[in-house]
């Protein structure tokens, strides 16, 4: 049996929760560790499935990877023996594409499967490939893999991205830091994790400027050295707990965050009538009993993150009145609405727009996670619903949330992780 979360809803969340390191920054940073032969120590690394798959892939190509504690890892890539990363696990994650940029940058060759990840849209990587080609690499797609080779080494180039892409921005940075000469990448993504990966590379001796703006300038250097670097807090994990606090009408202090990264989320929760108190490294969310509807449109940073769209939709589903949620990044990101409907929500989807009619209460049901953020949103729904909710296929959720259920239990939620049919039955009976 796939693991399940079983929960009984109805309890407002109360207390404090500490946010871990940013998964999406960590994934780029782990690949970046390949760019030096010296030791790289990464701290505040989240212990989640996608991160562990990336670390395992590094090991498979000959890097020495050792955990000094649960959130710190040491990587020594001086004895990497292959440029081909491929196994059934790496095929399932999206960030495998960062191995193309990193291997190409360091060894001028890479062979990596076309990325998997959550089925939230078509998710092409044409902009990554365009960047690698501009830097002087040949790129071919062969047998489901991206084969890249720059026989004469990579040379700096002027690259304009046709779409604002987080993955392409980081990937091209990874390839360009050791390229000869100057690279300018225009129309880049500005997400906090782009800045974090750039800071990490700079701490290894790279020369990257402009991360966090529309244009990134890189002066190639001959070699990079080792570093010790702490990953920034996870914007999306923090946002998820903010929505959980608001939707459950709770009062939660969310610690170890960068409040600036949460502004678009705070803004929406405030518009709904919730109270948000910002501290230097924490935010407190006090959920209002009567929440107002509002409209949300996902956009690249500093806009509202697409990775928060399902969680805010669930929060709006319990507000009083109708809201419009527009998804402008991925075309297929409302599939979870059918699952939510089983819990009594009233949401109509037309293309990339969802009209959310707030309901007074949701009722427990058995639902499927479908993807990482949708899974988290269904857990929030379950915690607010009357009765027992089972969220199936939680492997998706574990890709990006470390001990989600433990953290929620720490806030007073009644939620259990069931490993077996027996567990599941026991938990369900106890919850009834
Ligand atoms: C990353 C995140 C993901 C987040 C997304 C948007 C990781 C591992 N994943 O995904 O959690 O939801 O950013 O913040 O960091 N596009 C192209 N061609 C390309 C690349 C992208 O057309 O070559 C399009 C995509 O289809 C999408 C948009 O650009 O519509 C944004 O995608 P992108 O920012 O690249 O997302 P990912 O890197 O896949």
């Amino acid at each position: 049996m796939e693991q399940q979360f079983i929960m009984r809803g109805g309890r407002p969340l109360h207390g404090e929760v500490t946010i871990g390191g940013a998964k999406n920054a960590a994934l780029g940073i782990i690949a970046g560790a390949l760019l030096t032969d010296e030791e790289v120590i990464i701290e505040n690394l989240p212990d989640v499935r996608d991160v562990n798959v990336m670390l395992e892939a590094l090991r498979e190509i000959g890097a020495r990877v050792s955990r000094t504690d649960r959130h710190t890892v040491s990587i020594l890539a001086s004895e990497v023996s292959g440029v081909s990363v491929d196994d059934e696990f790496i095929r399932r994650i999206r960030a495998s594409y960062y191995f193309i940029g990193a291997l190409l940058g360091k060894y001028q060759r890479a062979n990596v499967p076309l990325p998997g990840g959550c089925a939230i849209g078509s998710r092409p990587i044409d902009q990554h490939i365009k960047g690698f080609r501009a830097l002087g690499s040949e790129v071919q797609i062969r047998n489901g893999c991206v084969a890249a080779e720059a026989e004469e080494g990579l040379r700096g180039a002027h690259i304009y991205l046709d779409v604002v892409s987080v993955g392409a921005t980081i990937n091209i940075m990874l390839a360009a830091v050791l390229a000869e000469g100057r690279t300018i990448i225009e129309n880049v993504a500005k997400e906090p994790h782009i800045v974090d990966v750039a800071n990490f590379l700079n701490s290894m001796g790279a020369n990257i400027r402009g991360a966090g703006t529309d244009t990134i300038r890189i002066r190639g250097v001959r070699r990079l050295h080792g570093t010790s670097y702490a990953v920034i807090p996870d914007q999306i994990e923090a946002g998820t707990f903010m929505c959980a606090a608001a939707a459950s009408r709770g009062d939660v202090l969310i610690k170890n965050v960068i409040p600036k990264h949460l502004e678009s989320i705070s803004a929406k929760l405030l518009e709904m009538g919730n109270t948000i108190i910002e501290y230097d490294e924490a935010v407190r969310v006090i959920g209002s009993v009567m929440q107002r509807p509002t409209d949300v449109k996902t956009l690249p940073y500093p806009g509202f993150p697409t990775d928060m769209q399902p969680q805010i939709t669930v929060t709006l589903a319990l507000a009083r009145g109708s809201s419009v949620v527009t998804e402008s990044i991925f075309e297929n990101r409302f599939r979870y609405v059918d699952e939510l409907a089983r819990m009594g929500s009233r949401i109509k989807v037309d293309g990339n727009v969802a009209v959310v009619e707030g309901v007074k209460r949701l009722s427990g049901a058995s639902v499927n996670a479908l993807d990482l953020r949708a899974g988290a949103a269904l857990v929030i729904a379950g915690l607010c619903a009357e009765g027992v909710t089972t969220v199936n296929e939680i492997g998706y959720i574990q890709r990006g949330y470390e001990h989600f259920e433990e953290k929620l239990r720490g806030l007073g939620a009644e939620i259990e992780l069931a490993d077996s049919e027996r567990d599941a039955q026991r938990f369900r009976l106890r919850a009834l």
Side-chain angles (χ1 to χ4, degrees):
M1 183 193 95
E2 253 245 47
Q3 291 180 321
Q4 300 171 328
F5 284 143
I6 299 176
M7 67 210 82
R8 187 169 60 163
R11 281 196 183 187
L13 300 183
H14 277 280
E16 296 182 3
V17 63
T18 302
I19 298 305
K23 168 184 81 90
N24 287 348
L27 299 172
I29 287 172
I30 290 170
L34 273 175
L35 290 165
T36 177
D37 290 334
E38 296 178 17
E39 185 185 22
V40 170
I41 295 172
I42 311 172
E43 292 164 24
N44 202 31
L45 197 67
D47 186 9
V48 294
R49 225 173 255 186
D50 277 15
V51 161
N52 294 328
V53 167
M54 287 289 280
L55 291 174
E56 196 47 46
L58 271 187
R59 261 196 208 110
E60 298 226 333
I61 54 171
R64 243 180 40 210
V65 179
S66 42
R67 267 187 197 273
T68 43
D69 65 48
R70 185 152 151 219
H71 297 124
T72 308
V73 75
S74 152
I75 299 172
L76 185 67
S78 54
E79 281 165 33
V80 164
S81 51
V83 292
S84 188
V85 181
D86 195 3
D87 66 37
E88 59 166 313
F89 301 107
I90 203 80
R91 279 178 181 264
R92 286 196 217 140
I93 74 168
R94 180 90 191 137
S96 54
Y97 52 36
Y98 291 141
F99 283 125
I100 314 173
L103 288 167
L104 197 54
K106 182 79 187 302
Y107 303 104
Q108 290 77 53
R109 272 184 320 128
N111 190 48
V112 177
L114 277 167
C118 291
I120 53 179
S122 68
R123 308 189 81 173
I125 58 162
D126 56 303
Q127 298 303 305
H128 306 230
I129 292 175
K130 170 178 165 170
F132 300 144
R133 287 195 173 129
L135 293 169
S137 170
E138 283 200 15
V139 185
Q140 283 176 359
I141 311 290
R142 260 190 253 127
N143 309 325
C145 284
V146 181
E149 181 159 10
E151 263 180 28
E152 292 170 19
L154 296 175
R155 286 179 312 278
H158 198 138
I159 301 158
Y160 175 85
L161 296 182
D162 302 313
V163 268
V164 177
S165 157
V166 170
T169 304
I170 292 180
N171 225 345
I172 298 170
M173 275 195 320
L174 290 170
V177 281
L178 289 173
E180 201 184 315
R182 224 159 95 103
T183 296
I184 300 176
I185 324 169
E186 294 200 68
N187 197 29
V188 294
K190 296 181 275 204
E191 267 66 3
H193 39 293
I194 306 270
V195 179
D196 205 40
V197 175
N199 286 342
F200 162 74
L201 294 170
N202 283 343
S203 79
M204 297 165 82
N207 185 342
I208 304 173
R209 281 187 296 160
T213 73
D214 294 319
T215 306
I216 290 180
R217 291 166 206 278
I218 302 169
R219 206 171 267 287
V221 294
R222 274 183 185 276
R223 56 182 293 280
L224 295 176
H225 52 72
T227 186
S228 179
Y229 190 84
V231 179
I232 51 164
D234 197 302
Q235 174 204 27
I236 306 300
E237 189 195 4
T240 302
F241 279 99
M242 290 171 77
C243 283
S248 71
R249 276 62 177 163
D251 180 349
V252 178
L253 182 69
I254 300 155
K255 299 199 301 193
N256 188 35
V257 301
I258 300 175
K260 171 116 193 77
H261 295 166
L262 304 173
E263 272 171 5
S264 59
I265 303 157
S266 299
K268 287 296 147 186
L269 293 177
L270 278 170
E271 282 172 27
M272 294 178 71
N274 300 293
T275 304
I276 313 273
I277 306 167
E278 279 188 9
Y279 303 91
D280 284 350
E281 291 180 4
V283 288
R284 180 173 167 199
V285 178
I286 307 169
S288 149
V289 178
M290 190 70 80
Q291 302 193 19
R292 293 189 291 270
T294 188
D295 295 343
V296 176
K297 182 174 185 181
T298 63
L299 287 169
Y301 189 83
F304 191 90
T306 173
D307 283 356
M308 280 301 303
Q309 181 261 99
Q311 301 90 314
I312 197 79
T313 301
V314 165
T315 313
L316 292 167
L318 286 161
R320 190 181 210 180
S322 68
S323 309
V324 177
V325 179
T326 308
E327 171 57 58
S328 69
I329 311 290
F330 293 111
E331 73 268 24
N332 199 11
R333 216 170 183 173
F334 281 123
R335 293 186 314 151
Y336 67 90
V337 161
D338 290 341
E339 299 298 305
L340 213 49
R342 299 151 71 96
M343 301 178 71
S345 70
R346 286 175 52 202
I347 304 175
K348 277 212 183 88
V349 176
D350 185 5
N352 67 338
V353 177
V355 178
V356 184
E357 232 24 274
V359 293
K360 269 217 168 102
R361 60 184 64 86
L362 295 171
S363 55
S366 175
V367 291
N368 293 329
L370 300 178
D371 70 62
L372 164 58
R373 306 304 171 184
L378 290 169
V379 171
I380 297 177
L383 294 178
C384 300
E386 276 179 356
V388 180
T389 293
T390 303
V391 179
N392 306 297
E393 296 175 37
I394 61 168
Y396 282 113
I397 303 175
Q398 289 160 334
R399 294 174 74 144
Y401 292 90
E402 183 176 331
H403 292 312
F404 197 35
E405 76 287 4
E406 273 178 28
K407 289 188 178 183
L408 289 166
R409 263 202 307 269
L411 297 172
E414 276 184 71
I415 178 168
E416 303 277 358
L417 184 145
D419 261 321
S420 62
E421 206 48 69
R422 238 173 68 225
D423 269 1
Q425 254 177 8
R426 195 155 41 89
F427 295 147
R428 255 181 237 117
L429 283 175
R430 203 191 302 154
L432 283 173

